[in-house]
Amino acid sequence: MKRTSLINVIKVNRPHSKPSRSTWCFGRVGQTTGPYQIRPLSFRKHVATQSEEAAVKHTALYDLHLQHGGKMVPFAGFSMPVQYSDLSVGDSHKWTREKASLFDVGHMVQHRISGPAASLLLEKITPSSITALDNYRSTLSCLLHPGTGGIVDDTVITRLGPDTFYLVTNAACRDKDLAYLREQIALLPNPSDVDWQVLDEWGLVAIQGPWSSEILQMALVMAEATDLEQREFHLQTLYFGQCKHFILNVPSSDCGPAPILVSRGGYTGEDGFEISIPPFMAKAFTEYLLARAGPEKLRLAGLGARDSLRLEAGMCLYGHDLNDDITPVEAGLSWVVHKDRRVGGGFHGDGVILRQLQPVKEGGTGPSKRRVGLVVEGAPAREGAQIVSLKDGGEIGTVTSGCPSPTLGKNIAMGYVTSGQHKTGTEAILFLTFAPHPYPKLSVLFSVKSLLYRIWIENTLVYYSILVNPKQAIAEAQAPEDYSVATASSPHPPPRVPPRRLRRVLFLTSISLTSISLGIYIASLPEVITLTALLRPSGPSSALAYLPATERATEINNLITDHPLSKRLRADPQWTESRPHLRMPPIMQRHSLTASTLIGESKIPVPPLMFTKGDKGEELVAISYLGSDLCGHVGIIHGGLLATMLDEGLARCCFAALPSKVGVTARLELDFRKPAKSDGFVVLKARTEKVEGRKAWVRGRVEVLPMPTSGKVEDILTVEEGAKDGSPFEDKGTVLVEAEGLFVEPKWAKVKGLDPRT
């Protein structure tokens, strides 16, 4: 069936309702469906009042928010829900990342711009290639100020037909945007060639999350689409940045047939859709979506979760991360300037923006500042916090948005820094505006460069904060001791300043102690980084990183990975599979027996395969192959190697249960039961018995792993018929050596940030 454009604003009369009742929607001219007659009707051009409306407005879903326990707050002139009674902001954030949430974004301003000069207008006020935009395609863009290229507002532009466009702009910029568009239309050679309409009171909802496609697909199928093409349409074929309209009846209501516009996209970083709905149908369709999906799949979410979700995704909020003085290039939105527009220009501010896109070495100016993401150590950074260089104490930027990240478990922020300071790994000091003294909370741009560097800064500058701003400190040290005439005559003179000599002594002492700390830091950095990397537990993906180098190693690896014990643990979601030896840094591998020294064809050709239960160090199982030429003793394995394997295995088992995930061996008692034969498979089993504060008691043993005498993978299935269905620790085979150990976390491990899991 031929695609139909949404090219008319129409009025729907219900024959069975009161004669005065009517509604507005998009539709096709002259379409008749059942008892409903859809006929074209012209919209009046928008004329804004002086203040639009002084009172707080309500969206079409206001009553629905109250019914679901929405906590309403004023936002951009509307009463909007910040959260709901069933979930906290953090829980709602996680729900969106894992399932799906429905957001009311009806406060946003929806526009319809059409006419012969519509493309000309949009290409003048935005840097997007409007003429190249296909029907039912959307693009993020910016409305630009003439001359400066500053951002008036960010917007999404959708082409609905050859000369018809649908725009969504921010509610907080409503008055400014309306005045801007009115002015720009008036400057056209023939303003009457543009028909601009504001779709007031229309509903706009966003369904976001991994399950959004499944939920919306199910709802559209059951909503009785009016033609076969719509009923058979599958949302999997609707890609990001595309849209489609459906003319639907909402089941169990008198709403319909009416059109909705479904666009794939969103403001959370998750898969999702934004749905534009006629005013009379907004509440009924939203209630239908919620009821059809059920609370186990779809829940309402408010402004609080929406803000943290967009900040995690690195998306801007106008009025905070964007404003009239910031250009798209400075905001990291260079991609909204499409390729053909970079050559010919022709849009507002093209002289500034095109020079910023060109590097300085090629004759351009480049941007003077850059938008960056921040990971903050300490209290959450808020808008306006100052970002200061570690080198000279000078200000290099400002925070524009910040909040805790429920997904990362850290405080994150967004801000602008001077060009050259925006590279990944750059470190800086963040001044919190509410702090009475400049106590530094470290701010790291995008990624952490050095673990110990964070520790040194926090534990040194907390005592010697005078070094944070050396310019100010030097100025204060050189200030005259006596008061000025104005100060002396003040009824409340400042407190007495310490003598200049004492200040100088304190300053020089601070310099000396900091230099000593810096020397210790430089000398110990390689060892601490290596030790931290060595103790860092492996993630689940590291089990897939190993590729055998020889046929013999491949055969042994297959026997280990396909063993019934491996399959049983792999199928149990409580167990995590890994090969932690592969995470060991190269500088330490040459000092490790099992990771480097004993690696070889007839020694240990395959790294041990390890399974860990839970995230609190409950149990551990590690399967290894010990070759025939491993210890220099014909046919047997030296007890010292088994002791080393037990020490490492017991430690890996219990470290996750310790507060800082780090410990040292305090006691290890071994009981050798039988000689260990070489050229065979062994399994190490460990269990954390008790944890008290910084102490953990662990038991473990090394057993012979039953293997088929034929050495073939297909015969492995017969070797563990007697295995129990419970914990592998209870399946006791031929024990070679048993051990009991006590591991203690050292006090220095409590230093903030030394958790190796991070």
Side-chain angles (χ1 to χ4, degrees), residues 45 142 178 260 279 281 312 365 390 464 551 601 612 619 669 678:
K45 290 187 178 294
C142 299
L178 297 181
I260 64 172
M281 188 179 179
E312 280 188 352
T365 61
L390 284 174
Y464 311 113
E551 293 184 4
E601 184 70 20
T612 53
E619 292 186 29
E669 298 179 359
S678 61

Side-chain angles (χ1 to χ4, degrees), residues 400-435:
T400 55
S401 293
C403 72
S405 165
T407 304
L408 301 176
K410 301 178 180 179
N411 292 319
I412 61 174
M414 186 184 297
Y416 285 83
V417 296
T418 306
S419 290
Q421 303 287 342
H422 64 285
K423 297 180 180 179
T424 300
T426 302
E427 299 185 55
I429 294 294
L430 185 66
F431 282 101
L432 301 183
T433 55
F434 56 81

Side-chain angles (χ1 to χ4, degrees), residues 10-15 17-25 36-37 39 41 201-202 278-281:
I10 57 179
K11 186 175 182 180
V12 179
N13 286 333
R14 293 180 175 76
S17 60
K18 295 180 180 180
S20 62
R21 184 176 180 182
S22 61
T23 53
W24 304 97
C25 57
Y36 301 96
Q37 174 65 38
R39 64 179 186 271
L41 186 77
E201 298 182 1
W202 275 58
F280 72 91
M281 188 179 179

Side-chain angles (χ1 to χ4, degrees), residues 144-374:
L144 301 175
H145 281 291
T148 64
I151 300 175
V152 178
D153 197 4
D154 56 320
T155 181
V156 176
I157 303 175
T158 303
R159 182 189 284 271
L160 299 179
D163 296 319
T164 304
F165 298 90
Y166 168 70
L167 278 71
V168 179
T169 57
N170 286 294
C173 299
R174 176 186 175 93
D175 291 345
K176 180 178 71 169
D177 290 347
L178 297 181
Y180 172 84
L181 289 172
R182 189 183 304 108
E183 177 186 0
Q184 295 301 315
I185 292 174
L187 293 176
L188 292 174
N190 190 357
S192 62
D193 286 343
V194 173
D195 181 25
W196 168 40
Q197 300 152 9
V198 179
L199 307 181
D200 282 327
E201 298 182 1
W202 275 58
L204 186 63
V205 297
I207 176 172
Q208 301 283 296
W211 293 0
S212 57
S213 178
E214 172 189 341
I215 293 171
L216 186 57
Q217 180 71 58
M218 177 176 56
L220 292 177
V221 169
M222 299 301 296
E224 304 176 13
T226 58
D227 59 51
L228 181 63
E229 178 194 11
Q230 294 183 156
R231 288 196 296 269
E232 295 181 350
F233 183 82
H234 204 288
L235 290 176
Q236 287 185 351
T237 62
L238 190 71
Y239 300 112
F240 180 83
Q242 294 182 342
C243 65
K244 182 177 177 61
H245 78 277
F246 297 83
I247 298 180
L248 304 175
N249 293 302
V250 178
S252 303
S253 75
D254 61 348
C255 297
I260 64 172
L261 181 66
V262 178
S263 306
R264 194 154 202 162
Y267 193 51
T268 63
E270 293 290 340
D271 184 23
F273 304 85
E274 293 189 348
I275 309 169
S276 179
I277 316 170
F280 72 91
M281 188 179 179
K283 183 179 178 182
F285 183 78
T286 304
E287 290 176 332
Y288 165 69
L289 268 180
L290 293 169
R292 185 64 189 166
E296 66 279 359
K297 290 186 178 181
L298 179 66
R299 295 195 182 186
L300 289 166
L303 296 174
R306 184 173 168 84
D307 187 56
S308 59
L309 287 162
R310 69 92 188 170
L311 190 55
E312 280 188 352
M315 297 180 176
C316 301
L317 176 61
Y318 195 91
H320 299 263
D321 313 303
L322 302 175
N323 59 44
D324 298 290
D325 299 322
I326 295 174
T327 67
V329 182
E330 294 170 336
L333 301 176
S334 301
W335 49 272
V336 305
V337 186
H338 293 171
K339 188 175 181 179
D340 59 327
R341 308 304 306 276
R342 301 187 182 199
V343 178
F347 53 88
H348 287 334
D350 55 356
V352 174
I353 292 174
L354 295 182
R355 286 198 304 270
Q356 289 182 342
L357 286 171
Q358 192 173 11
V360 176
K361 61 182 179 181
E362 297 179 8
T365 61
S368 60
K369 56 186 176 183
R370 305 277 190 134
R371 182 171 63 94
V372 293
L374 305 147

